[in-house]
Amino acid sequence: AQKVTQAQTEISVVEKEDVTLDCVYETRDTTYYLFWYKQPPSGELVFLIRRNSFDEQNEISGRYSWNFQKSTSSFNFTITASQVVDSAVYFCALSEAGTASKLTFGTGTRLQVTL
Amino acid sequence: DSGVTQTPKHLITATGQRVTLRCSPRSGDLSVYWYQQSLDQGLQFLIQYYNGEERAKGNILERFSAQQFPDLHSELNLSSLELGDSALYFCASSVAIGVGYEQFFGPGTRLTVL
């Protein structure tokens, strides 16, 4: 069965600090996708990134970067030079082939960025 | 704005009642998903429809049902409501079915059962 673990329940940082959100997943499939979503205080879920199981290249988008390591079943998310607007709950999710692409979410990490 | 619309935004009702949540997917998207976000269960997949047909079921209670209409909008019906059904219900849509397609989420319907 597929499972996503986000062990960090809550992280507090001061603005401009770098922060890494951890995500560990479990799956028996060789074909799967990993996602990160952001849920700001307003409540909507905002898509951040998708990565397939055959592409282990790290990705950088502005201040955001993602590190995918199949050897450790991890898909970690780093925010560089954090800003107050980054304050949100971040969810890691997994979608396996053959599951009609449903998303299995982790429990989320609440990030609080203060001045 | 994801292009997915959900109505109503908020819903307050009493135990034992029945409610209907509505979702309109993004233009061109054929697949609709329903998710429930609650404090104790987190974000959980409920059910998926593709072009009018049910394709996958998650932890959806028997008191809950859904359907997707020919115009591709979807409705989630919740009946015999209990206090524990209070949650944020999200609808998401994707262009097709299959692993890896990005799911675009609506703003959610916050259901409060008193």
Side-chain angles (χ1 to χ4, degrees), chain B residues 31-50:
Chain B
S31 192
V32 169
Y33 309 76
W34 286 97
Y35 292 85
Q36 179 195 57
Q37 185 177 28
S38 62
L39 284 175
D40 52 346
Q41 298 290 328
L43 259 168
Q44 285 204 317
F45 167 74
L46 293 178
I47 197 164
Q48 180 203 12
Y49 280 82
Y50 177 75

PDB file of all heavy atoms in Angstrom, chain B residues 31-50:
ATOM      1  N   SER B  31     -11.830  14.297 -15.850  1.00  0.00           N
ATOM      2  CA  SER B  31     -11.750  13.539 -14.606  1.00  0.00           C
ATOM      3  C   SER B  31     -11.984  14.461 -13.413  1.00  0.00           C
ATOM      4  O   SER B  31     -11.427  15.550 -13.336  1.00  0.00           O
ATOM      5  CB  SER B  31     -10.373  12.878 -14.498  1.00  0.00           C
ATOM      6  OG  SER B  31     -10.361  11.937 -13.456  1.00  0.00           O
ATOM      7  N   VAL B  32     -12.808  13.983 -12.491  1.00  0.00           N
ATOM      8  CA  VAL B  32     -13.116  14.738 -11.284  1.00  0.00           C
ATOM      9  C   VAL B  32     -12.836  13.852 -10.080  1.00  0.00           C
ATOM     10  O   VAL B  32     -13.164  12.674 -10.052  1.00  0.00           O
ATOM     11  CB  VAL B  32     -14.595  15.188 -11.267  1.00  0.00           C
ATOM     12  CG1 VAL B  32     -14.967  15.723  -9.894  1.00  0.00           C
ATOM     13  CG2 VAL B  32     -14.840  16.252 -12.321  1.00  0.00           C
ATOM     14  N   TYR B  33     -12.214  14.454  -9.071  1.00  0.00           N
ATOM     15  CA  TYR B  33     -11.900  13.762  -7.828  1.00  0.00           C
ATOM     16  C   TYR B  33     -12.534  14.530  -6.674  1.00  0.00           C
ATOM     17  O   TYR B  33     -12.606  15.760  -6.705  1.00  0.00           O
ATOM     18  CB  TYR B  33     -10.387  13.733  -7.583  1.00  0.00           C
ATOM     19  CG  TYR B  33      -9.553  13.241  -8.727  1.00  0.00           C
ATOM     20  CD1 TYR B  33      -9.302  14.060  -9.831  1.00  0.00           C
ATOM     21  CD2 TYR B  33      -8.962  11.980  -8.694  1.00  0.00           C
ATOM     22  CE1 TYR B  33      -8.516  13.618 -10.882  1.00  0.00           C
ATOM     23  CE2 TYR B  33      -8.175  11.538  -9.749  1.00  0.00           C
ATOM     24  CZ  TYR B  33      -7.956  12.363 -10.830  1.00  0.00           C
ATOM     25  OH  TYR B  33      -7.169  11.929 -11.863  1.00  0.00           O
ATOM     26  N   TRP B  34     -12.913  13.778  -5.636  1.00  0.00           N
ATOM     27  CA  TRP B  34     -13.368  14.397  -4.399  1.00  0.00           C
ATOM     28  C   TRP B  34     -12.438  13.963  -3.265  1.00  0.00           C
ATOM     29  O   TRP B  34     -12.095  12.777  -3.140  1.00  0.00           O
ATOM     30  CB  TRP B  34     -14.800  13.994  -4.058  1.00  0.00           C
ATOM     31  CG  TRP B  34     -15.832  14.646  -4.924  1.00  0.00           C
ATOM     32  CD1 TRP B  34     -16.433  14.134  -6.035  1.00  0.00           C
ATOM     33  CD2 TRP B  34     -16.408  15.947  -4.735  1.00  0.00           C
ATOM     34  NE1 TRP B  34     -17.336  15.033  -6.550  1.00  0.00           N
ATOM     35  CE2 TRP B  34     -17.339  16.161  -5.772  1.00  0.00           C
ATOM     36  CE3 TRP B  34     -16.224  16.965  -3.783  1.00  0.00           C
ATOM     37  CZ2 TRP B  34     -18.087  17.333  -5.883  1.00  0.00           C
ATOM     38  CZ3 TRP B  34     -16.961  18.129  -3.897  1.00  0.00           C
ATOM     39  CH2 TRP B  34     -17.882  18.305  -4.930  1.00  0.00           C
ATOM     40  N   TYR B  35     -12.055  14.932  -2.455  1.00  0.00           N
ATOM     41  CA  TYR B  35     -11.207  14.688  -1.289  1.00  0.00           C
ATOM     42  C   TYR B  35     -11.848  15.336  -0.072  1.00  0.00           C
ATOM     43  O   TYR B  35     -12.526  16.357  -0.176  1.00  0.00           O
ATOM     44  CB  TYR B  35      -9.806  15.299  -1.472  1.00  0.00           C
ATOM     45  CG  TYR B  35      -8.959  14.647  -2.538  1.00  0.00           C
ATOM     46  CD1 TYR B  35      -9.067  15.031  -3.873  1.00  0.00           C
ATOM     47  CD2 TYR B  35      -8.034  13.659  -2.212  1.00  0.00           C
ATOM     48  CE1 TYR B  35      -8.281  14.435  -4.856  1.00  0.00           C
ATOM     49  CE2 TYR B  35      -7.246  13.065  -3.183  1.00  0.00           C
ATOM     50  CZ  TYR B  35      -7.380  13.459  -4.498  1.00  0.00           C
ATOM     51  OH  TYR B  35      -6.597  12.867  -5.459  1.00  0.00           O
ATOM     52  N   GLN B  36     -11.585  14.741   1.089  1.00  0.00           N
ATOM     53  CA  GLN B  36     -12.061  15.289   2.350  1.00  0.00           C
ATOM     54  C   GLN B  36     -10.851  15.649   3.207  1.00  0.00           C
ATOM     55  O   GLN B  36      -9.906  14.857   3.323  1.00  0.00           O
ATOM     56  CB  GLN B  36     -12.912  14.241   3.087  1.00  0.00           C
ATOM     57  CG  GLN B  36     -13.437  14.690   4.439  1.00  0.00           C
ATOM     58  CD  GLN B  36     -13.945  13.511   5.254  1.00  0.00           C
ATOM     59  OE1 GLN B  36     -13.209  12.569   5.515  1.00  0.00           O
ATOM     60  NE2 GLN B  36     -15.207  13.556   5.646  1.00  0.00           N
ATOM     61  N   GLN B  37     -10.879  16.834   3.776  1.00  0.00           N
ATOM     62  CA  GLN B  37      -9.803  17.234   4.691  1.00  0.00           C
ATOM     63  C   GLN B  37     -10.409  17.497   6.064  1.00  0.00           C
ATOM     64  O   GLN B  37     -11.188  18.428   6.255  1.00  0.00           O
ATOM     65  CB  GLN B  37      -9.077  18.482   4.202  1.00  0.00           C
ATOM     66  CG  GLN B  37      -7.879  18.848   5.084  1.00  0.00           C
ATOM     67  CD  GLN B  37      -7.103  20.047   4.575  1.00  0.00           C
ATOM     68  OE1 GLN B  37      -7.644  20.935   3.915  1.00  0.00           O
ATOM     69  NE2 GLN B  37      -5.808  20.090   4.876  1.00  0.00           N
ATOM     70  N   SER B  38     -10.033  16.665   7.022  1.00  0.00           N
ATOM     71  CA  SER B  38     -10.502  16.841   8.386  1.00  0.00           C
ATOM     72  C   SER B  38      -9.309  16.823   9.324  1.00  0.00           C
ATOM     73  O   SER B  38      -8.230  16.347   8.964  1.00  0.00           O
ATOM     74  CB  SER B  38     -11.495  15.738   8.784  1.00  0.00           C
ATOM     75  OG  SER B  38     -10.855  14.473   8.737  1.00  0.00           O
ATOM     76  N   LEU B  39      -9.526  17.312  10.528  1.00  0.00           N
ATOM     77  CA  LEU B  39      -8.416  17.410  11.483  1.00  0.00           C
ATOM     78  C   LEU B  39      -7.885  16.040  11.860  1.00  0.00           C
ATOM     79  O   LEU B  39      -6.673  15.853  11.992  1.00  0.00           O
ATOM     80  CB  LEU B  39      -8.871  18.160  12.732  1.00  0.00           C
ATOM     81  CG  LEU B  39      -8.997  19.676  12.567  1.00  0.00           C
ATOM     82  CD1 LEU B  39      -9.577  20.305  13.820  1.00  0.00           C
ATOM     83  CD2 LEU B  39      -7.637  20.281  12.240  1.00  0.00           C
ATOM     84  N   ASP B  40      -8.776  15.074  12.022  1.00  0.00           N
ATOM     85  CA  ASP B  40      -8.300  13.767  12.477  1.00  0.00           C
ATOM     86  C   ASP B  40      -7.876  12.844  11.346  1.00  0.00           C
ATOM     87  O   ASP B  40      -7.006  11.991  11.543  1.00  0.00           O
ATOM     88  CB  ASP B  40      -9.354  13.092  13.363  1.00  0.00           C
ATOM     89  CG  ASP B  40     -10.717  13.042  12.705  1.00  0.00           C
ATOM     90  OD1 ASP B  40     -10.900  13.756  11.703  1.00  0.00           O
ATOM     91  OD2 ASP B  40     -11.589  12.313  13.193  1.00  0.00           O
ATOM     92  N   GLN B  41      -8.448  12.996  10.157  1.00  0.00           N
ATOM     93  CA  GLN B  41      -8.126  12.081   9.051  1.00  0.00           C
ATOM     94  C   GLN B  41      -7.184  12.690   8.019  1.00  0.00           C
ATOM     95  O   GLN B  41      -6.679  11.984   7.158  1.00  0.00           O
ATOM     96  CB  GLN B  41      -9.406  11.636   8.333  1.00  0.00           C
ATOM     97  CG  GLN B  41     -10.376  10.872   9.224  1.00  0.00           C
ATOM     98  CD  GLN B  41      -9.850   9.509   9.587  1.00  0.00           C
ATOM     99  OE1 GLN B  41      -9.140   8.872   8.821  1.00  0.00           O
ATOM    100  NE2 GLN B  41     -10.173   9.063  10.790  1.00  0.00           N
ATOM    101  N   GLY B  42      -6.930  13.976   8.103  1.00  0.00           N
ATOM    102  CA  GLY B  42      -6.080  14.611   7.114  1.00  0.00           C
ATOM    103  C   GLY B  42      -6.788  14.710   5.773  1.00  0.00           C
ATOM    104  O   GLY B  42      -8.018  14.753   5.708  1.00  0.00           O
ATOM    105  N   LEU B  43      -6.013  14.732   4.696  1.00  0.00           N
ATOM    106  CA  LEU B  43      -6.547  14.820   3.342  1.00  0.00           C
ATOM    107  C   LEU B  43      -6.729  13.417   2.788  1.00  0.00           C
ATOM    108  O   LEU B  43      -5.761  12.694   2.587  1.00  0.00           O
ATOM    109  CB  LEU B  43      -5.571  15.571   2.438  1.00  0.00           C
ATOM    110  CG  LEU B  43      -5.865  17.017   2.129  1.00  0.00           C
ATOM    111  CD1 LEU B  43      -4.659  17.671   1.482  1.00  0.00           C
ATOM    112  CD2 LEU B  43      -7.078  17.140   1.215  1.00  0.00           C
ATOM    113  N   GLN B  44      -7.979  13.045   2.527  1.00  0.00           N
ATOM    114  CA  GLN B  44      -8.255  11.688   2.067  1.00  0.00           C
ATOM    115  C   GLN B  44      -9.051  11.692   0.768  1.00  0.00           C
ATOM    116  O   GLN B  44     -10.009  12.444   0.628  1.00  0.00           O
ATOM    117  CB  GLN B  44      -9.051  10.942   3.126  1.00  0.00           C
ATOM    118  CG  GLN B  44      -8.237  10.517   4.320  1.00  0.00           C
ATOM    119  CD  GLN B  44      -8.875   9.338   5.030  1.00  0.00           C
ATOM    120  OE1 GLN B  44     -10.076   9.310   5.225  1.00  0.00           O
ATOM    121  NE2 GLN B  44      -8.075   8.351   5.391  1.00  0.00           N
ATOM    122  N   PHE B  45      -8.659  10.805  -0.112  1.00  0.00           N
ATOM    123  CA  PHE B  45      -9.362  10.618  -1.365  1.00  0.00           C
ATOM    124  C   PHE B  45     -10.698   9.926  -1.114  1.00  0.00           C
ATOM    125  O   PHE B  45     -10.769   8.937  -0.377  1.00  0.00           O
ATOM    126  CB  PHE B  45      -8.487   9.770  -2.296  1.00  0.00           C
ATOM    127  CG  PHE B  45      -9.192   9.230  -3.504  1.00  0.00           C
ATOM    128  CD1 PHE B  45      -9.505  10.069  -4.558  1.00  0.00           C
ATOM    129  CD2 PHE B  45      -9.530   7.894  -3.586  1.00  0.00           C
ATOM    130  CE1 PHE B  45     -10.140   9.583  -5.685  1.00  0.00           C
ATOM    131  CE2 PHE B  45     -10.162   7.386  -4.706  1.00  0.00           C
ATOM    132  CZ  PHE B  45     -10.478   8.234  -5.757  1.00  0.00           C
ATOM    133  N   LEU B  46     -11.736  10.441  -1.730  1.00  0.00           N
ATOM    134  CA  LEU B  46     -13.064   9.835  -1.567  1.00  0.00           C
ATOM    135  C   LEU B  46     -13.470   9.030  -2.801  1.00  0.00           C
ATOM    136  O   LEU B  46     -13.774   7.836  -2.720  1.00  0.00           O
ATOM    137  CB  LEU B  46     -14.101  10.918  -1.295  1.00  0.00           C
ATOM    138  CG  LEU B  46     -13.984  11.672   0.024  1.00  0.00           C
ATOM    139  CD1 LEU B  46     -15.061  12.736   0.127  1.00  0.00           C
ATOM    140  CD2 LEU B  46     -14.045  10.725   1.215  1.00  0.00           C
ATOM    141  N   ILE B  47     -13.503   9.710  -3.957  1.00  0.00           N
ATOM    142  CA  ILE B  47     -14.031   9.047  -5.139  1.00  0.00           C
ATOM    143  C   ILE B  47     -13.578   9.799  -6.380  1.00  0.00           C
ATOM    144  O   ILE B  47     -13.262  10.990  -6.328  1.00  0.00           O
ATOM    145  CB  ILE B  47     -15.579   8.972  -5.062  1.00  0.00           C
ATOM    146  CG1 ILE B  47     -16.148   7.953  -6.040  1.00  0.00           C
ATOM    147  CG2 ILE B  47     -16.193  10.353  -5.236  1.00  0.00           C
ATOM    148  CD1 ILE B  47     -17.586   7.561  -5.737  1.00  0.00           C
ATOM    149  N   GLN B  48     -13.528   9.073  -7.502  1.00  0.00           N
ATOM    150  CA  GLN B  48     -13.130   9.672  -8.768  1.00  0.00           C
ATOM    151  C   GLN B  48     -14.107   9.288  -9.863  1.00  0.00           C
ATOM    152  O   GLN B  48     -14.560   8.133  -9.930  1.00  0.00           O
ATOM    153  CB  GLN B  48     -11.739   9.219  -9.184  1.00  0.00           C
ATOM    154  CG  GLN B  48     -11.284   9.832 -10.503  1.00  0.00           C
ATOM    155  CD  GLN B  48     -10.208   9.022 -11.203  1.00  0.00           C
ATOM    156  OE1 GLN B  48      -9.930   7.893 -10.844  1.00  0.00           O
ATOM    157  NE2 GLN B  48      -9.584   9.621 -12.193  1.00  0.00           N
ATOM    158  N   TYR B  49     -14.394  10.249 -10.728  1.00  0.00           N
ATOM    159  CA  TYR B  49     -15.197  10.009 -11.916  1.00  0.00           C
ATOM    160  C   TYR B  49     -14.413  10.425 -13.146  1.00  0.00           C
ATOM    161  O   TYR B  49     -13.628  11.377 -13.117  1.00  0.00           O
ATOM    162  CB  TYR B  49     -16.506  10.798 -11.861  1.00  0.00           C
ATOM    163  CG  TYR B  49     -17.532  10.133 -10.994  1.00  0.00           C
ATOM    164  CD1 TYR B  49     -17.511  10.298  -9.616  1.00  0.00           C
ATOM    165  CD2 TYR B  49     -18.505   9.311 -11.537  1.00  0.00           C
ATOM    166  CE1 TYR B  49     -18.433   9.663  -8.801  1.00  0.00           C
ATOM    167  CE2 TYR B  49     -19.444   8.674 -10.742  1.00  0.00           C
ATOM    168  CZ  TYR B  49     -19.387   8.854  -9.371  1.00  0.00           C
ATOM    169  OH  TYR B  49     -20.306   8.220  -8.573  1.00  0.00           O
ATOM    170  N   TYR B  50     -14.645   9.686 -14.214  1.00  0.00           N
ATOM    171  CA  TYR B  50     -14.037  10.031 -15.490  1.00  0.00           C
ATOM    172  C   TYR B  50     -15.116   9.978 -16.556  1.00  0.00           C
ATOM    173  O   TYR B  50     -15.700   8.913 -16.790  1.00  0.00           O
ATOM    174  CB  TYR B  50     -12.881   9.097 -15.836  1.00  0.00           C
ATOM    175  CG  TYR B  50     -12.273   9.368 -17.184  1.00  0.00           C
ATOM    176  CD1 TYR B  50     -11.444  10.476 -17.364  1.00  0.00           C
ATOM    177  CD2 TYR B  50     -12.529   8.552 -18.278  1.00  0.00           C
ATOM    178  CE1 TYR B  50     -10.888  10.757 -18.592  1.00  0.00           C
ATOM    179  CE2 TYR B  50     -11.982   8.816 -19.513  1.00  0.00           C
ATOM    180  CZ  TYR B  50     -11.152   9.919 -19.663  1.00  0.00           C
ATOM    181  OH  TYR B  50     -10.598  10.201 -20.895  1.00  0.00           O
TER     182      TYR B  50
END
